[in-house]
């Protein structure tokens, strides 16, 4: 049994099978039988009616007023409704931080476009002359050659629109971590590959083996991002880090080094721990 639905885009083969499977899943999903009040539906309609004007709404300044206008003055009930709409993919409302909570995304393409301004192949999609003209050539090269993005670079590519929101979003999804006061590490932009020395990597080894399935793209980069964040919280600084597309060496605690190695051929991530001093 296949774990995916093969589709022939040229002859439209497989589309009927996929459609039937989706319909069956919808029938089997008990959540579709959940009753929703007319006020909630009016609330959703009033939110989505703003799509032509903006890709997002602010919760405090706009959404609360829309809720009150359709008979939902309770902020708590509005939050419950937004959570319900979010779970069903009707809009995007993340609540893990106050910054994220205040933005209700009604056009997901806005998120994709914004993130792709940063996570892209700089050798193909970046016009360095454009950045040179505005005095940000060094910032752009740092971003796409060393994976360190300056605040000024992010402000420019996002046109100053909801920069704190995007930074917080990338932090929470482990696409970015703070490097220092004015720059951020974006691991998915690392390009240099680590060549394993003949002596191997020192330390006790633990292997996360994905060979029975597959190692999803981005897992290693998110793990690296998490380690950098943890190291920074512990006050270890970032001066002695070794960062590669497939390897990092980082001090999470004083006197303890952690080495991470991604092996795509073996579909595995190896973690080595090494004591640097007693």
């Amino acid at each position: 049994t296949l774990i995916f639905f093969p589709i022939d885009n040229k002859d439209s083969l497989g589309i009927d099978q996929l459609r039937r499977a989706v319909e069956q899943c919808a029938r089997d999903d008990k959540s579709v039988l959940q009753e929703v009040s007319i006020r909630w539906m009016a609330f959703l309609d009033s939110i989505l009616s703003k799509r032509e004007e903006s890709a997002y709404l602010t919760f405090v300044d706009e959404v609360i007023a829309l809720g009150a206008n359709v008979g939902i003055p309770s902020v708590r009930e509005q939050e419950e409704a937004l959570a319900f709409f979010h779970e069903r993919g009707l809009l995007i409302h993340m609540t893990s931080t106050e910054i994220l909570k205040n933005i209700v995304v009604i056009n997901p393409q806005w998120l994709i476009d914004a993130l792709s301004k940063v996570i892209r192949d700089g050798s193909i999609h970046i016009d360095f002359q454009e950045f040179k003209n505005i005095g940000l050539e060094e910032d752009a090269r740092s971003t796409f050659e060393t994976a360190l993005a300056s605040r000024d670079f992010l402000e420019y590519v996002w046109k100053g629109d909801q920069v704190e929101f995007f930074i917080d979003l990338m932090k929470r999804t482990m696409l970015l971590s703070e490097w220092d006061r004015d720059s951020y590490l974006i691991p998915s932009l690392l390009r240099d590959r680590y060549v394993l020395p003949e002596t191997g990597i020192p330390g006790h080894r633990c292997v996360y083996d994905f060979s029975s399935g597959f190692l999803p793209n981005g897992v290693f980069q998110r793990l690296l991002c998490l380690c950098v964040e943890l190291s920074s919280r512990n006050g270890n600084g970032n001066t002695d880090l070794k960062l590669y597309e497939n390897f990092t060496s980082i001090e999470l605690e004083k006197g303890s080094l952690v080495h991470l190695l991604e092996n795509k051929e073996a579909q595995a991530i190896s973690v080595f721990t090494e004591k640097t001093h007693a």
Side-chain angles (χ1 to χ4, degrees):
T1 303
L2 295 177
I3 61 173
F4 61 91
F5 290 89
I7 300 294
D8 187 324
N9 291 327
K10 183 177 180 180
D11 298 320
S12 299
L13 297 176
I15 292 179
D16 287 340
Q17 293 92 324
L18 176 59
R19 183 180 291 116
R20 286 195 294 271
V22 171
E23 290 175 352
Q24 187 60 50
C25 286
R27 292 192 185 97
D28 295 339
D29 185 1
K30 302 301 181 184
S31 67
V32 301
L33 302 177
Q34 181 176 343
E35 294 183 353
V36 178
S37 73
I38 294 177
R39 290 183 301 126
W40 280 29
M41 295 307 299
F43 185 33
L44 176 63
D45 289 341
S46 66
I47 291 173
L48 297 184
S49 69
K50 303 296 183 180
R51 276 179 172 169
E52 297 297 324
E53 304 170 23
S54 177
Y56 65 90
L57 299 174
T58 57
F59 181 69
V60 172
D61 296 328
E62 298 173 283
V63 174
I64 289 178
L66 291 175
N69 289 340
V70 296
I72 310 177
S74 167
V75 173
R76 182 173 181 178
E77 185 179 354
Q78 289 184 20
E79 291 175 343
E80 291 175 358
L82 289 174
F84 179 82
F85 301 148
H86 174 86
E87 289 173 0
R88 281 149 185 79
L90 300 169
L91 48 75
I92 298 174
H93 185 226
M94 295 161 284
T95 58
S96 56
T97 70
E98 288 301 316
I99 293 174
L100 296 180
K101 184 178 179 180
N102 193 44
I103 300 296
V104 178
V105 180
I106 53 180
N107 182 1
Q109 189 63 44
W110 175 65
L111 290 181
I112 297 170
D113 291 344
L115 296 182
S116 65
K117 295 287 186 182
V118 177
I119 301 177
R120 55 170 54 187
D121 189 335
S123 64
I124 299 175
H125 302 293
I126 292 296
D127 179 5
F128 287 100
Q129 185 61 45
E130 174 190 349
F131 290 94
K132 183 177 182 179
N133 293 340
I134 59 171
L136 289 176
E137 181 183 12
E138 185 176 332
D139 299 67
R141 293 196 180 279
S142 174
T143 300
F144 296 103
E145 293 175 6
T146 69
L148 293 177
S150 69
R151 175 70 184 223
D152 289 341
F153 172 82
L154 297 177
E155 288 273 0
Y156 177 75
V157 296
W158 289 331
K159 303 184 186 305
D161 184 24
Q162 296 299 335
V163 174
E164 291 295 341
F165 169 80
F166 287 122
I167 289 176
D168 209 24
L169 172 64
M170 292 184 71
K171 282 182 182 178
R172 299 299 161 180
T173 53
M174 291 184 286
L175 295 173
L176 166 154
S177 61
E178 290 190 16
W179 185 256
D180 55 35
R181 190 167 60 88
D182 297 314
S183 61
Y184 305 87
L185 173 69
I186 305 174
S188 58
L189 296 181
L190 290 167
R191 290 293 175 261
D192 293 338
R193 292 193 62 79
Y194 180 75
V195 179
L196 191 66
E198 293 183 2
T199 55
I201 300 174
H204 298 287
R205 181 188 182 198
C206 171
V207 178
Y208 294 92
D209 187 355
F210 295 82
S211 60
S212 61
F214 68 97
L215 174 58
N217 289 332
V219 169
F220 178 79
Q221 288 72 24
R222 283 173 168 80
L223 185 59
L224 191 159
C225 207
L226 192 62
C227 288
V228 170
E229 186 72 22
L230 181 59
S231 177
S232 179
R233 287 181 188 176
N234 290 338
N236 296 322
N238 300 318
T239 55
D240 297 326
L241 288 180
K242 295 179 181 178
L243 298 172
Y244 296 85
E245 181 185 3
N246 62 328
F247 175 81
T248 187
S249 180
I250 185 170
E251 187 178 47
L252 296 185
E253 297 179 348
K254 292 295 183 183
S256 179
L257 274 177
V258 172
H259 313 288
L260 304 176
L261 178 68
E262 180 187 43
N263 187 332
K264 289 186 176 180
E265 292 182 358
Q267 294 289 290
I269 294 176
S270 297
V271 180
F272 302 82
T273 59
E274 175 190 6
K275 290 291 184 181
T276 55
H277 60 263

